Amino acid sequence: MATASYPYPLIPTPPGDWQNSLHEMQAIRMAALHNIIIRSFNAIIYHAPNVTESNVPSFIKFCRAVGDVVHEHHQTEEEVMFPYFEEKLGKGAMDANVNQHHDFMPQFDEWNEHCKKILANEEKYESTKFITMLRRSTDLLSAHLVDEIPTLEASIMKSHFSDAELRELEIRIGKKIQECISVWIMPILFVSGDLSYNSWFPDEIPTPVIFFARHIAMRIGGDMWKWGQSDRYCQLKNEFKPMYTAASS
């Protein structure tokens, strides 16, 4: 399995119109979600060496939110999306994606457990150890996030799925997300998103829920969301623009 190096490069936005084509939306949405995870990893590694003792709790809370998002995302893939795709693409069609999850998740879970213990004052935050533990998984995970996109390419979707079938998939995904995602970690969509890079946004989420996440959950969460690379409106902060400009040049 390939690996990636920090700063992890973003996934180019696949072509298409996500607002008017469910077939084209699959890869565009997945690229946007994966880039949210990638920006989160880049933010953690960027900030980790300079986190002061007083800022450790808020920083680790941000890290825990990222961990929850990764788990929720993979759970939705493995329990809903991949089985549905295999009904048409053939049994085993998504095995490579699932097997890659098994390659990096044990190490990711070790880092996630370390975060929990830091918050519980059972272990001490030490930046070098923290980054090393994280990168044991994310160097693999970030490469995997890139590898997964071609399996959802629009021509594949169009040749195997009708509009009605993809609408049914959206219903199943929506139910799963309602089961496992919390509005309290939803701000990750904002602070690790960048609408100027990929315009996809989960417009199926009711406006009042978005308002609550953006203006109330973020306020209650306090400083934990300042560690993201974007502001509450999914606009990349200036300090991080060179990270991606350099990577794409």
Side-chain angles (χ1 to χ4, degrees), residues 79-146:
E79 296 182 13
V80 180
M81 295 183 68
F82 292 170
Y84 194 83
F85 288 146
E86 287 195 345
E87 289 178 13
K88 285 297 188 74
L89 300 177
K91 185 173 176 58
M94 310 304 288
D95 278 358
N97 293 336
V98 175
N99 290 338
Q100 285 186 0
H101 289 180
H102 299 158
D103 288 338
F104 53 72
M105 284 311 294
Q107 295 93 331
F108 187 79
D109 287 340
E110 286 181 14
W111 171 79
N112 204 20
E113 188 64 26
H114 181 51
C115 291
K116 293 178 184 178
K117 290 181 178 179
I118 292 172
L119 278 179
N121 292 317
E122 296 173 6
E123 293 184 1
K124 187 173 178 59
Y125 176 77
E126 195 281 305
S127 63
T128 301
K129 174 184 176 181
F130 192 80
I131 295 171
T132 299
M133 289 185 70
L134 176 63
R135 291 195 60 179
R136 286 189 191 127
S137 62
T138 55
D139 284 5
L140 291 169
L141 204 166
S142 296
H144 157 78
L145 295 175
V146 176

Side-chain angles (χ1 to χ4, degrees), residues 39 108 141 167 174 217 225 239:
R39 289 191 198 93
F108 187 79
L141 204 166
R167 283 195 294 272
W225 299 114
E239 67 183 291

Side-chain angles (χ1 to χ4, degrees), residues 215-236:
H215 297 288
I216 299 176
M218 286 190 70
R219 186 184 310 151
I220 293 173
D223 284 349
M224 67 178 286
W225 299 114
K226 74 179 182 180
W227 305 104
Q229 292 195 326
S230 296
D231 62 21
R232 70 178 64 221
Y233 297 103
C234 310
Q235 299 299 313
L236 192 67

Side-chain angles (χ1 to χ4, degrees), residues 16-37:
D17 181 355
W18 66 269
Q19 292 176 306
N20 294 300
S21 171
L22 285 174
H23 297 91
E24 294 170 355
M25 188 263 285
Q26 301 302 318
I28 295 171
R29 173 176 61 189
M30 191 67 80
L33 290 170
H34 284 188
N35 281 338
I36 285 170
I37 295 172

